[in-house]
Amino acid sequence: MKQIRLIKILFIRMINIVRDTPKFILLATSSILVLFTIIPLYYPNLLSYSSSSSWSDLKLGCDIFRGEWIWNPETTYYTNETCNYIHDHQNCMKYGRPDTDFLKWRWKPNDCELPIFNPVQFLELLRGKSMAFVGDSVGRNQMQSLMCLLSKVENPVEVSANDEWHFKRWKYTNYSFTVSTFWTPYLVRSEQEEVNGPTNSGLFNLYLDEFDLKWTTKLHEFDYVILSAGHWFYRPAMFYENGKLVGCFYCLRDGVKDFPMSYGYAKAFQTAFKAINSSPKFKGKTYLRTFAPSHFEDGTWNQGANCLRKKPFKSNETQLEPKGLSLYNAQMEEYRVAKEEGKKTGKRFRLLDTTQAMLLRPDGHPSSYGHWPQENVTLYNDCVHWCLPGPIDSWSDFLLEMLKLDK
């Protein structure tokens, strides 16, 4: 591995230089060199915007988002038989996933402990409150994970205003707590331009400076908004600003300027945050849930790639691929700007930084276990969403810890 060879060369040069120095100086120098060499190699630019802005605000005592997955053979919180809120495509055990070791890991921050999710404590804390998950299907995946964790205490009643599956609401009557999902994969106003597009995944028109009114007009109804977006931005898209076409991402059209994927991603978050900061009636808190990487290997997502690993990575065994890194950094920059802007009007933002933890979990995806093998369906191996139960349940560990200290 290139990184390891580089570290060895640096060590040899260092030892030659300090051959005659006392041993304790050599030891200290070596430790510092390892620290500042290994971390940038494995997490280039991931440290350019640390999640510390959120954990220091909340006085967490340590950065709960930096750590490792450790073996935890205790049984999981729930099963696919005890929870009725699992989407079929993430119901891995129902559709025959044979291994269960992916359920037996828990997240351990480097410098502290992260308590396991307590459903009673969560519901008591949010008694009389409302929470909305705004984003794509991974956001819905997160909400369904939370509902499964809460099902040990109470099953909610659906109180949706209509039958539109993109926008659903449930109420935990004993606690007067409501949870909602708003499916808006681009966060801004969008429409499909072509069914297939250049990559057979569709071509979409994104109006990067226009609010998606389906969710922005409902903001004032919620005490907490969990905002996220991600993998839809990998698809080709046309970018509109001020009502005019300004460019695209991989549209392959003559005369149309090609922008990097991160351009549309940053603009979409900029507009979503603007909707929040400019909403006079919204008095709640916004939690940005950061980009959760996919783990496709041996091809592209729609050309045979899969995710067949059976255990987590260690933090020194992988790194965020360039496109994912560009999205993460764009997201962090827009968050920083929005948080500062929000201070002027009393808006409150928090960072739910799941990126590193989920980068290390290639074993947690449905792969082909989102349907029966004999079914005649057109579904690709799913290395984007997360099995339920599975590692995504740790997001509720993070969320509850932040909510407790944010009171």
Side-chain angles (χ1 to χ4, degrees):
M1 197 172 181
K2 292 182 180 179
Q3 292 97 329
I4 301 300
R5 288 200 297 271
L6 178 58
I7 291 170
K8 287 181 178 179
I9 292 171
L10 291 171
F11 267 122
I12 291 171
R13 291 180 178 176
M14 179 196 71
I15 290 170
N16 288 336
I17 293 172
V18 297
R19 189 188 302 270
D20 299 324
T21 61
K23 290 184 178 180
F24 76 92
I25 295 178
L26 179 61
L27 179 61
T29 306
S30 301
S31 300
I32 293 170
L33 181 61
V34 169
L35 178 64
F36 287 100
T37 302
I38 292 178
I39 290 177
L41 285 171
Y42 284 106
Y43 293 99
N45 298 328
L46 195 60
L47 300 179
S48 65
Y49 189 97
S50 171
S51 60
S52 61
S53 68
S54 205
W55 61 260
S56 61
D57 284 352
L58 298 175
K59 299 179 175 60
L60 291 174
C62 84
D63 186 348
I64 60 174
F65 306 115
R66 300 289 176 259
E68 303 281 355
W69 291 94
I70 64 172
W71 183 247
N72 179 40
E74 297 179 6
T75 55
T76 187
Y77 306 117
Y78 59 91
T79 71
N80 64 303
E81 294 180 345
T82 63
C83 178
N84 299 320
Y85 311 110
I86 303 175
H87 192 288
D88 262 4
H89 295 166
Q90 287 97 56
N91 202 336
C92 305
M93 309 313 290
K94 173 183 175 179
Y95 291 109
R97 178 165 177 167
D99 60 309
T100 58
D101 279 359
F102 75 98
L103 300 174
K104 299 175 182 178
W105 299 86
R106 71 175 179 87
W107 180 251
K108 169 65 173 68
N110 289 329
D111 301 315
C112 60
E113 292 291 333
L114 179 63
I116 297 296
F117 183 80
N118 183 324
V120 174
Q121 188 177 34
F122 181 92
L123 287 169
E124 286 291 356
L125 195 63
L126 293 178
R127 183 182 289 275
K129 303 295 184 181
S130 57
M131 177 177 286
F133 289 82
V134 176
D136 59 17
S137 53
V138 177
R140 186 174 66 236
N141 199 179
Q142 179 185 5
M143 182 200 69
Q144 290 166 341
S145 165
L146 174 63
M147 293 176 70
C148 284
L149 292 168
L150 296 177
S151 67
K152 194 172 182 179
V153 176
E154 183 179 341
N155 287 308
V157 176
E158 186 176 343
V159 291
S160 305
N162 52 54
D163 293 330
E164 175 57 64
W165 69 270
H166 289 147
F167 309 104
K168 292 290 186 180
R169 187 176 304 201
W170 293 264
K171 184 172 184 177
Y172 292 80
T173 55
N174 290 332
Y175 294 87
S176 297
F177 168 62
T178 59
V179 61
S180 303
T181 176
F182 287 85
W183 188 78
T184 172
Y186 291 111
L187 300 179
V188 296
R189 186 168 81 85
S190 63
E191 61 189 15
Q192 190 169 47
E193 170 77 7
E194 296 178 9
V195 174
N196 294 320
T199 63
N200 292 316
S201 59
L203 177 67
F204 296 84
N205 292 333
L206 307 189
Y207 301 90
L208 295 175
D209 54 356
E210 296 185 33
F211 298 164
D212 180 353
L213 298 178
K214 292 189 296 292
W215 70 269
T216 59
T217 55
K218 304 290 186 182
L219 269 172
H220 63 282
E221 299 178 10
F222 300 100
D223 299 293
Y224 298 93
V225 171
I226 315 297
L227 189 72
S228 63
H231 296 280
W232 278 73
F233 287 84
Y234 280 74
R235 303 177 185 225
M238 311 294 289
F239 298 149
Y240 290 83
E241 296 179 61
N242 296 316
K244 297 181 180 179
L245 179 66
V246 296
C248 73
F249 168 66
Y250 202 73
C251 63
L252 303 183
R253 291 190 177 182
D254 293 337
V256 180
K257 183 178 180 180
D258 191 59
F259 283 99
M261 182 192 309
S262 58
Y263 178 86
Y265 194 66
K267 288 284 187 175
F269 271 101
Q270 183 181 102
T271 299
F273 287 137
K274 182 179 179 181
I276 292 169
N277 275 331
S278 64
S279 175
K281 295 182 180 179
F282 177 61
K283 306 299 182 183
K285 296 176 183 176
T286 302
Y287 283 68
L288 170 63
R289 197 267 299 157
T290 62
F291 178 73
S294 63
H295 292 92
F296 291 103
E297 295 187 70
D298 301 323
T300 57
W301 69 273
N302 58 353
Q303 295 181 353
N306 211 339
C307 39
L308 300 174
R309 295 180 183 269
K310 302 300 182 185
K311 65 178 183 179
F313 288 122
K314 293 291 186 182
S315 60
N316 64 352
E317 293 176 339
T318 189
Q319 59 182 314
L320 201 56
E321 49 88 20
K323 287 183 179 179
L325 181 62
S326 71
L327 297 189
Y328 178 85
N329 284 336
Q331 197 176 40
M332 292 301 95
E333 177 59 21
E334 296 305 328
Y335 171 82
R336 183 191 65 79
V337 172
K339 185 176 180 180
E340 288 303 309
E341 185 67 24
K343 290 178 180 178
K344 300 175 184 177
T345 55
K347 296 293 191 293
R348 294 164 292 177
F349 291 87
R350 297 290 182 258
L351 188 65
L352 181 56
D353 191 349
T354 59
T355 301
Q356 187 201 358
M358 304 317 285
L359 173 65
L360 306 182
R361 292 308 304 268
D363 57 324
H365 300 287
S367 180
S368 61
Y369 298 107
H371 58 89
W372 298 115
Q374 67 273 19
E375 280 187 272
N376 184 20
V377 293
T378 305
L379 288 174
Y380 302 105
N381 295 322
D382 188 351
C383 303
V384 171
H385 301 92
W386 304 92
C387 291
L388 294 180
I392 193 174
D393 294 325
S394 66
W395 296 5
S396 291
D397 298 345
F398 291 136
L399 180 58
L400 177 55
E401 189 69 4
M402 296 177 73
L403 289 169
K404 287 190 300 185
L405 294 166
D406 206 17
K407 279 292 183 179

